[in-house]
Amino acid sequence: MTFMPTMRLSPWLRPQPFAALLAAMFLAACAVPETRAPAPEQPPAAEAPEPEPIPHEDAREPEPAAEPEATPSAALALAEQAEGSRSEGNLERAAQQLERALRIAPRDAALWHQMARIRLEQGNYPQADRLAGRSLQLGGERDRSLALENWRVIRAAREAMGDEEGAREAQEAIQRLETGVV
C-alpha cells in the first residue's frame, strides 16, 4: 500500500453545508413563479342576456340640476383675504390665497371667477380667459350675475389678445344675459 498524503484544506475552503443551504434558499426566494390570470368565463352566445331597449330621448325624464355644494369656511376666508390683498394692490399674494382656496373648494365657480379677475389684472390674458370659462362650466351659467361677470372677463381678455371674433362672441353672450335671452 502506498501512502498518499492527505491534503488538508483550510476551513474557508471546506464545503459548508449551511452556507450552501442558505444560498439555495436565497435563490429560491428570488425566483418568481410565472402566474397567469385565468381567462374570464364568457357565457355561451345562446345564454347572453338581451340588452334593454334604449328609451326614446323624448321619453327620458330630465335629470335635476345638481345643487351647488356649500363652500367650506376656510376657502371663503381665503377668498376674503385674497380680495383684501387685491385691493391693496398685492396681486401675487391674492393669487396665492386663491390657489389655496381652490385646492379646498375646486368646484366653486365664484372662486374660479375671482382668480380669472386676478389673472386679467396681472395681464395673463389666456389664463384669465380659461379660468372664466371654467367658472362658467362649474355653474356660472345658473347664476346670471356671475355668468355676466365671467363673460366680461372673457371679452376683456380676448380683446387684449387681439381676438376680435372671440371678443364679439363674448359681447353677444353679455347682451343675451343683460336682456334675459339665454
Side-chain angles (χ1 to χ4, degrees):
M1 202 164 165
T2 60
F3 179 72
M4 298 248 334
T6 58
M7 198 183 253
R8 293 193 95 151
L9 295 175
S10 103
W12 296 106
L13 296 177
R14 289 187 204 145
Q16 300 289 327
F18 184 69
L21 179 63
L22 279 179
M25 288 175 53
F26 177 75
L27 291 174
C30 291
V32 178
E34 182 179 333
T35 59
R36 292 186 181 168
E41 292 184 29
Q42 295 189 8
E47 295 178 24
E50 291 185 24
E52 293 183 28
I54 299 173
H56 192 272
E57 285 187 23
D58 296 337
R60 292 183 191 172
E61 293 182 24
E63 293 183 21
E67 289 293 319
E69 298 174 14
T71 303
S73 59
L76 293 175
L78 284 165
E80 205 171 294
Q81 291 171 11
E83 194 57 38
S85 295
R86 179 181 166 266
S87 65
E88 293 170 359
N90 191 346
L91 297 177
E92 192 57 41
R93 178 76 177 139
Q96 291 171 351
Q97 290 163 327
L98 283 171
E99 286 170 358
R100 288 178 55 206
L102 284 166
R103 281 194 291 273
I104 296 168
R107 303 215 28 95
D108 188 308
L111 291 175
W112 287 100
H113 170 74
Q114 196 175 352
M115 181 62 102
R117 277 192 2 241
I118 296 292
R119 294 303 186 209
L120 183 66
E121 290 180 36
Q122 289 178 323
N124 190 339
Y125 305 120
Q127 194 171 23
D129 186 352
R130 283 192 305 271
L131 293 170
R134 175 82 171 143
S135 176
L136 285 170
Q137 271 184 331
L138 288 173
E141 289 288 348
R142 286 191 299 262
D143 180 348
R144 178 173 265 137
S145 64
L146 181 58
L148 189 57
E149 291 304 312
N150 278 318
W151 280 111
R152 287 180 178 147
V153 168
I154 291 170
R155 179 189 62 200
R158 290 178 180 176
E159 285 174 349
M161 291 186 294
D163 180 3
E164 293 176 16
E165 181 62 29
R168 193 175 310 113
E169 289 173 7
Q171 181 59 39
E172 290 170 4
I174 291 168
Q175 288 172 342
R176 282 193 306 271
L177 287 166
E178 287 176 337
T179 60
V181 179
V182 179

